[in-house]
Amino acid sequence: MSTVYYTASSLDGFVVDEHDSLEWLMRNDVDGTGFGGYDDFIAGVGAIVMGASTHRWLVEHEPDVWPYEQPTWVVTNHPDAVTAPGVHTYAGDVASLHPQLVDAADGRDVWVVGGGDLAAQFVAAGLVDEMWVHYAPCTLGAGRPVLPTASRWRLLDTGRNRDFVGARWARADA
Ligand SMILES: NC(=O)c1ccc[n+]([C@@H]2O[C@H](COP(=O)([O-])OP(=O)(O)OC[C@H]3O[C@@H](n4cnc5c(N)ncnc54)[C@H](OP(=O)(O)O)[C@@H]3O)[C@@H](O)[C@H]2O)c1
């Protein structure tokens, strides 16, 4: 059981462009069953945590259906904006939230969905065991960074998925 930051990034390290758009990823996504694909990954996930901006993007783009079966926490200072049934909210130090995520995952992985802002808080607290990044075949020039904190990693695996390069790392001190 691990806490995993699993995401996609442009080659220049952005998860969304300067207009907060994921259009670059929607046009050309990874194969769910290919190397590091979403289908295998999500099958091992027992609990999910995401930031308020990521939650907002999801409900704006998939308004009729909440896409996750797993217990989910949205980290936000505005809990009233989170209306999906069964989704928990939390504000404050992510280190205090982490034990609840691990309990809820019940032996499976905790997925830190992002964005980079939230993932950086988990990484800075030493709570992310593994990171998966699928690098898309494009640059964005500007946007929100994949992981805006200093950190060191040990490369575990790399592979191709469609036109993406997938890489998986473990925390360097783990
Ligand atoms: N490329 C990908 O695969 C991928 C994956 C995930 C997300 N994304 C995208 O990345 C963008 C998000 O980027 P981001 O890094 O700026 O946002 P984010 O991490 O999703 O959300 C940041 C927001 O979450 C709230 N928050 C964060 N930490 C908190 C804490 N400890 N306590 C209370 N509230 C906290 C704050 O919002 P409030 O104060 O307003 O509550 C903060 O502005 C989204 O547009 C999303 O769609 C892309």
Side-chain angles (χ1 to χ4, degrees), residues 48-56 58-59 66 71-79 81-84 87-91 97 101 118:
I48 290 174
V49 60
M50 67 183 67
S53 311
T54 301
H55 167 265
R56 194 161 44 244
L58 271 173
V59 295
W66 181 247
T72 299
W73 276 258
V74 175
V75 179
T76 179
N77 294 300
H78 303 92
V82 178
T83 53
V87 174
H88 309 278
T89 60
Y90 176 84
L97 171 63
L101 299 172
L118 182 70

Side-chain angles (χ1 to χ4, degrees), residues 65-140:
V65 49
W66 181 247
Y68 305 115
E69 293 171 359
Q70 295 88 342
T72 299
W73 276 258
V74 175
V75 179
T76 179
N77 294 300
H78 303 92
D80 292 349
V82 178
T83 53
V87 174
H88 309 278
T89 60
Y90 176 84
D93 181 1
V94 297
S96 302
L97 171 63
H98 190 249
Q100 286 182 67
L101 299 172
V102 172
D103 277 357
D106 196 22
R108 295 197 287 164
D109 292 338
V110 173
W111 179 20
V112 180
V113 179
D117 177 284
L118 182 70
Q121 295 175 49
F122 278 91
V123 168
L127 296 170
V128 175
D129 306 301
E130 279 189 23
M131 178 165 68
W132 262 109
V133 181
H134 289 284
Y135 287 100
C138 66
T139 57
L140 298 175

Side-chain angles (χ1 to χ4, degrees), residues 2-23:
S2 299
T3 297
V4 185
Y5 179 35
Y6 174 95
T7 192
S9 170
S10 65
L11 287 179
D12 49 349
F14 297 111
V15 294
V16 282
D17 71 14
E18 60 193 323
H19 307 295
D20 276 343
S21 172
L22 271 167
E23 181 59 27

